[in-house]
Amino acid sequence: MSAALAGTGGLVRLALRRDRILLPLWVLLIAVLPMTYASTFAGLYPSQAERAGYVAGTAGNPSIVALLGPIYGDSVGALAVQRSGMLLLIVALISLLTVIRHTRTEEEAGRRELLGATALGRHAGLTAALLLTYAADLLLGLLAAAGLVTVDLPVAGALAFGAALTVAGWVFASIGGLAAQLTTGAGSARGIGLAVLGLAFVLRLAGDAAEAGGGSGWLSWLSPLGWVERVRAFADERWWVLLPGLALTALAAAVAYPISARRDLGAGILPPRSGPAVAAPWLASPLALAWRLHRGLLLGWAVGATALGAILGSVADAAGRAVGDNPQLAEIMARLGGTAALSDAYLAGVMTIVGLAIAGYGVQAALRTRVEETAGRAEPVLAGAVGRTRWLAGHLLLAVAGPVVALAVGGVATGLTYGLATGDVSGQVPRLLGAALVQVPAVWVLTGLAVLLFGALPRAAGASWAALAGCFLLGQLGAVLELGQWALDLSPFTHIPRLPGGEVTVLPLLMLTVVAGVFAGAGVVAFRRRDVPVT
């Protein structure tokens, strides 16, 4: 066994070297957020009676519980933990992608084969990736707990929440390690991992919403994200709830190692499908090739947007009624989105969340060009009669049109479920469709930024994900922390009309579209002038 792990320490140091900026950034940023939430709630609701009023309007509200998770008490710590519910999803996502990046992506790029020619054990790559991610998640949990203690919250509750963050990351780190052994490409591994994470989130969301509405929350117990939130930090902690997560972490890793030992380097358990012996005539263009590469990704995101919109739309009517009973919560929700009815304020916030989610598709689709380049598939295509602009334009068209499709189906799904709840399907579907499509220019800005980085700074193209994370954090923290307008304006989603219920203004949408076009155009120009490939 020691021979199979030879070189693990060196690979860990190499991974730390490569992630020396990104890893500390996301660990520190996420760790400080729960402390920030706690300080904010302590200022907004200093008395127990005020916090109890907030909980009364939140605990039974299916929409808020669906987004953030259940709330188990009226202490500052309990409020901060619920507000940090989305951090569990973010930590799981980052852990999943980190392991795949240091395993399957390394194989696909050919670097793992070069290192394997040295004194490197068979399990060294997977072990190094898991150790790095496990350690980062553990450090994150400890720092988050320490931050909560510094704002005078009980140590037991702080440690429980820190442990929940850690275990959420560990579970999906192991799932990422397993997914990396199943497929022959990093994109397919990410697709499997994201599908599992998406299913876990939807199960947690549906179960928590049902429980808040007076039904059974058994669906949440099918989700690892549902397990860790039921630790009930700052509310009679249940430490035993962490055991299923730890067991799944060990099980996924235990399955991944035998597969890693038996498969060939560069191969996977799930073989790639063999295509026809002769390609169809319609494939003889860069756009057709791009469509062939993107269609599965687009379908997955469209299905996810439909499911998310349907679930959130189904509880929107209850959101308006429940929030209306709590003046303080109504004021916060009104600031977060919309200017009309409170249900419209909730729906406006939902549409922003859906827009941010679909921006992930735009970034991923734009960065597919970088995957093709580093995998060595772009160079043979460009060596023929296909020019760089035509090749890049095919991918760019899918990256631009895809979010429109995904947002449209998400908006229709939201309108259908909300319309059924209110008895006004014909009126709500157009309203929610418009509210979804108005997010498109902001999504395009992030897509254009990804194209710009790919063209001008290909090694830093992954920073476009950091830009998306920044927009998400500004949307989550901006209104609560009362950040200056200059900070909020850094996110393109700040400038879009808050629909439904708000006033439509064309100028911000036009300006965002122009900015996106400038970014994308500059990226195309830069790509035409640089070397291919840049590794």
Side-chain angles (χ1 to χ4, degrees):
M1 188 64 180
S2 60
L5 297 176
T8 299
L11 288 183
V12 170
R13 291 191 295 272
L14 176 61
L16 286 171
R17 165 75 178 173
R18 295 184 62 194
D19 288 351
R20 63 187 181 279
I21 297 176
L22 188 60
L23 189 146
L25 182 64
W26 72 260
V27 167
L28 293 175
L29 185 60
I30 295 176
V32 78
L33 287 177
M35 176 183 66
T36 304
Y37 291 142
S39 299
T40 301
F41 276 116
L44 287 174
Y45 304 100
S47 70
Q48 194 275 337
E50 290 174 313
R51 293 193 298 272
Y54 174 88
V55 172
T58 301
N61 187 329
S63 57
I64 296 177
V65 172
L67 285 175
L68 302 178
I71 187 167
Y72 294 109
D74 56 14
S75 65
V76 171
L79 269 60
V81 165
Q82 192 217 24
R83 190 65 181 82
S84 303
M86 289 295 290
L87 296 183
L88 298 170
L89 176 66
I90 295 173
V91 172
L93 174 63
I94 294 175
S95 300
L96 172 78
L97 297 178
T98 299
V99 172
I100 293 175
R101 175 172 178 260
H102 288 293
T103 52
R104 178 54 68 176
T105 300
E106 293 297 289
E107 278 191 49
E108 192 175 27
R111 290 186 288 268
R112 175 66 177 81
E113 187 174 8
L114 291 175
L115 292 172
T118 65
L120 192 67
R122 183 69 179 176
H123 297 319
L126 177 59
T127 304
L130 290 176
L131 285 178
L132 172 72
T133 311
Y134 289 164
D137 290 331
L138 178 59
L139 178 61
L140 168 62
L142 292 174
L143 290 176
L148 291 171
V149 172
T150 60
V151 292
D152 299 325
L153 294 182
V155 174
L159 289 175
F161 179 68
L165 283 175
T166 297
V167 173
W170 283 0
V171 168
F172 283 93
S174 292
I175 290 174
L178 176 57
Q181 311 307 314
L182 297 177
T183 67
T184 58
S188 299
R190 284 191 289 267
I192 293 173
L194 291 174
V196 174
L197 178 58
L199 177 62
F201 176 67
V202 169
L203 288 173
R204 197 281 299 165
L205 185 150
D208 289 349
E211 188 174 22
S216 172
W218 65 271
L219 283 174
S220 296
W221 286 99
L222 300 179
S223 167
L225 297 177
W227 301 340
V228 293
E229 71 180 11
R230 278 162 172 71
V231 173
R232 298 171 64 106
F234 301 105
D236 189 22
E237 291 79 13
R238 296 178 175 178
W239 295 95
W240 64 267
V241 179
L242 296 174
L243 295 178
L246 294 173
L248 182 56
T249 299
L251 177 62
V255 174
Y257 274 100
I259 297 175
S260 175
R262 288 175 172 82
R263 68 178 179 85
D264 291 333
L265 189 65
I269 295 300
L270 304 176
R273 292 186 303 168
S274 298
V278 179
W282 65 270
L283 282 174
S285 71
L287 177 59
L289 174 61
W291 166 248
R292 182 69 175 79
L293 295 172
H294 286 259
R295 62 183 184 181
L297 180 67
L298 176 57
L299 177 62
W301 279 93
V303 170
T306 301
L308 181 61
I311 292 172
L312 296 179
S314 65
V315 295
D317 187 49
R321 293 195 303 268
V323 171
D325 296 333
N326 188 313
Q328 293 172 318
L329 189 56
E331 181 182 353
I332 291 176
M333 286 297 293
R335 290 204 308 268
L336 287 175
T339 57
L342 291 173
S343 58
D344 281 351
Y346 164 76
L347 287 168
V350 165
M351 286 297 103
T352 300
I353 292 173
V354 174
L356 282 163
I358 298 305
Y361 166 78
V363 171
Q364 187 177 7
L367 294 184
R368 180 61 194 239
T369 52
R370 181 60 179 163
V371 173
E372 293 297 297
E373 181 181 17
T374 55
R377 294 187 290 267
E379 192 172 11
V381 175
L382 297 175
V386 177
R388 295 191 182 195
T389 302
R390 285 185 63 206
W391 177 80
L392 183 55
H395 290 277
L396 183 57
L397 179 61
L398 271 298
V400 168
V404 179
V405 174
L407 283 168
V409 297
V412 169
T414 307
L416 280 173
T417 53
Y418 180 56
L420 289 172
T422 59
D424 184 24
V425 173
S426 61
Q428 295 304 327
V429 169
R431 292 180 74 233
L432 273 301
L433 176 61
L437 291 179
V438 82
Q439 313 290 326
V440 168
V443 173
W444 282 347
V445 169
L446 293 174
T447 303
L449 178 61
V451 175
L452 174 60
L453 291 174
F454 163 73
L457 299 169
R459 293 189 181 93
S464 49
W465 289 109
L468 174 58
C471 293
F472 175 81
L473 293 175
L474 284 173
Q476 291 290 299
L477 292 174
V480 176
L481 297 182
E482 300 181 354
L483 297 179
Q485 190 61 41
W486 67 270
L488 299 178
D489 287 341
L490 294 176
S491 170
F493 291 90
T494 302
H495 306 282
I496 59 177
R498 299 300 181 188
L499 299 179
E503 181 181 355
V504 178
T505 51
V506 177
L507 183 59
L509 301 178
L510 180 61
M511 294 301 296
L512 289 173
T513 303
V514 170
V515 170
V518 171
F519 282 169
V524 172
V525 172
F527 176 65
R528 293 182 60 184
R529 295 180 177 179
R530 68 171 174 84
D531 292 336
V532 176
V534 174
T535 58

